[in-house]
Amino acid sequence: DINLFSAYQLGNLELPNRIVMAPLTRNRAGQGNVPHQLNATYYVQRASAGLIIAEATQVTPEGQGYPATPGIHSPEQVEGWKLVTDAVHQHGGRIFLQLWHVGRISHPDLQPNGALPVAPSAIAPKGEASTYEGPKPYVTPRALETSEIPQIVEHYRQGAANALAAGFDGVEIHSANGYLIDQFLRDRTNQRTDKYGGSIENRARLLLEVTEAVTSVWDSNRVGVRLSPSGTFNDIGDSNPLETFGYAAQALNQFNLAYLHIYEATEADIRHGGIIVPTSHIRDRFTGTLIVNGGYTREKGDAVLASKAADLVAFGTLFISNPDLPRRLALNAPLNEADQATFYGGGEEGYTDYPFWSAANEPVAKA
Ligand SMILES: C=C(C(=O)O)c1ccccc1
């Protein structure tokens, strides 16, 4: 039976296992949102993943929504990312970059010239923004003019080109978790009356235009898309996600992408009463490789692969605290507990200081 340790042919990339490192925001970019050596150490420690999807990275300054998240829009950032891709490649790893624009999930304190964050419509998210001075209530974003959207698409294209120059093996278009592209996809946040709003085709237009632009830079088998059909994070929602995401999954087939990556329903989504879209609804419509993510264990991962409900399994929290996760899963070794207090921000504590497994730290049987 296929399991987590089976190899996988992802387009022309050979993955030695089916264990993917999920994109994880860690808020540890250097000055100027430039990746630095500490980030290279963190990623190279995890190079045994079948595939690393590096953290969400803004394609333009307006796309930043949190302190110290890396960018891919300046020459310094391209140079910084080369430290990461070179290190991972020297250790035989493969790494994609997740291209991001947060849309309304930001604050004027994080925006160039203190401007309003942009979004499909002027609808403020519930909750608080994370700024360098701490949490602040979200503001009502500025609705993008129709004439501004080609420039947004160009930011993603340029970001994709910069990722190619930075030595990545591919890119993932972040279209999940209530950020800009997800804001356009869903009718709670997109109440536009132009060709980017109203019908499902119109609400998916930005996703498809960005995918078109990114696949004009990369071979399509090096481009992935991430969706969160059941998501409620960032006050996102849709009146008919089965239809919305069923359409999106089918529409993406035209590009022959590397994969579609689904962030599955969390306990929070179920608690928030979001409509749950079963991953089978997507699997039945998307004809390419499917990555699933969300609370998987070795057993659940092996099972979802054996049943052919997915092709690859992404792990987030477990990769935070277990740099050598594939080896530990293969050995059924104990797993380090992740320290949530150091998930976001800071330095090496809770980032590069989690131990690797060695039999030496096997609990010694009591004499
Ligand atoms: C990029 C994120 C996502 O996709 O959910 C994110 C951002 C901040 C904290 C956690 C996660």
Side-chain angles (χ1 to χ4, degrees):
D1 255 359
I2 297 287
N3 63 35
L4 288 170
F5 313 104
S6 309
Y8 189 75
Q9 185 77 30
L10 186 73
N12 60 357
L13 276 179
E14 286 276 339
L15 309 191
N17 62 54
R18 297 187 181 217
I19 298 166
V20 174
M21 179 178 172
L24 295 158
T25 289
R26 305 303 308 276
N27 307 90
R28 287 170 166 89
Q31 200 59 32
N33 304 95
V34 175
H36 51 143
Q37 187 49 48
L38 180 65
N39 307 135
T41 301
Y42 164 73
Y43 281 108
V44 76
Q45 289 178 342
R46 293 154 176 82
S48 65
L51 174 68
I52 295 174
I53 305 171
E55 68 207 84
T57 297
Q58 59 266 8
V59 295
T60 174
E62 298 79 14
Q64 180 179 353
Y66 304 85
T69 54
I72 188 69
H73 51 80
S74 77
E76 296 80 7
Q77 291 163 350
V78 171
E79 287 313 301
W81 278 117
K82 282 182 183 170
L83 297 172
V84 174
T85 59
D86 286 348
V88 168
H89 290 146
Q90 276 155 26
H91 283 74
R94 289 144 302 280
I95 183 167
F96 277 31
L97 181 65
Q98 191 185 48
L99 303 177
W100 195 22
H101 189 308
V102 296
R104 69 177 191 167
I105 303 300
S106 186
H107 187 277
D109 289 3
L110 294 162
Q111 290 290 315
N113 314 312
L116 289 178
V118 296
S121 301
I123 303 169
K126 294 189 191 67
E128 292 178 314
S130 311
T131 77
Y132 286 96
E133 291 77 43
K136 294 190 179 180
Y138 283 118
V139 300
T140 299
R142 178 175 70 80
L144 285 158
E145 300 295 330
T146 308
S147 60
E148 293 180 273
I149 294 182
Q151 180 56 53
I152 297 280
V153 174
E154 172 56 16
H155 288 319
Y156 280 96
R157 194 203 60 74
Q158 187 59 60
N162 291 345
L164 184 62
F168 284 98
D169 300 294
V171 291
E172 175 178 283
I173 299 166
H174 196 341
S175 311
N177 297 345
Y179 296 111
L180 184 70
I181 297 178
D182 204 12
Q183 289 160 30
F184 270 83
L185 275 170
R186 317 261 205 130
D187 60 11
R188 178 186 298 176
T189 37
N190 180 346
Q191 285 160 22
R192 301 180 70 90
T193 55
D194 65 2
K195 66 179 181 180
Y196 291 98
S199 68
I200 289 179
E201 293 76 7
N202 281 358
R203 286 187 275 119
R205 192 180 306 280
L206 179 64
L207 167 61
L208 301 182
E209 288 183 352
V210 169
T211 306
E212 178 77 40
V214 170
T215 52
S216 77
V217 169
W218 285 86
D219 287 346
S220 64
N221 66 7
R222 297 299 183 95
V223 178
V225 168
R226 196 183 215 212
L227 295 172
S228 53
S230 310
T232 60
F233 186 48
N234 289 322
D235 190 23
I236 199 76
D238 188 82
S239 55
N240 190 338
L242 278 157
E243 211 183 358
T244 299
F245 290 97
Y247 172 79
Q250 264 160 335
L252 287 170
N253 287 328
Q254 64 189 292
F255 298 104
N256 298 310
L257 297 175
Y259 62 76
L260 179 55
H261 183 181
I262 299 297
Y263 184 50
E264 296 181 321
T266 63
E267 312 289 305
D269 295 330
I270 295 162
R271 230 184 5 258
H272 292 160
I275 303 169
I276 305 303
V277 176
T279 298
S280 57
H281 187 75
I282 305 298
R283 185 61 155 177
D284 294 346
R285 288 163 176 77
F286 183 68
T287 54
T289 295
L290 192 72
I291 305 178
V292 289
N293 173 233
Y296 281 86
T297 60
R298 170 170 173 165
E299 292 71 28
K300 290 180 187 172
D302 284 342
V304 80
L305 295 175
S307 68
K308 304 217 181 307
D311 304 296
L312 300 167
V313 182
F315 295 85
T317 309
L318 286 182
F319 253 123
I320 287 179
S321 52
N322 298 280
D324 53 348
L325 183 63
R327 179 158 180 268
R328 285 174 184 260
L329 292 177
L331 294 173
N332 267 321
L335 300 177
N336 297 324
E337 190 76 16
D339 168 25
Q340 301 216 6
T342 50
F343 273 11
Y344 307 114
E348 60 189 50
E349 194 199 351
Y351 188 56
T352 53
D353 62 352
Y354 283 104
F356 284 65
W357 174 253
S358 72
N361 57 23
E362 178 87 64
V364 177
K366 294 281 172 289

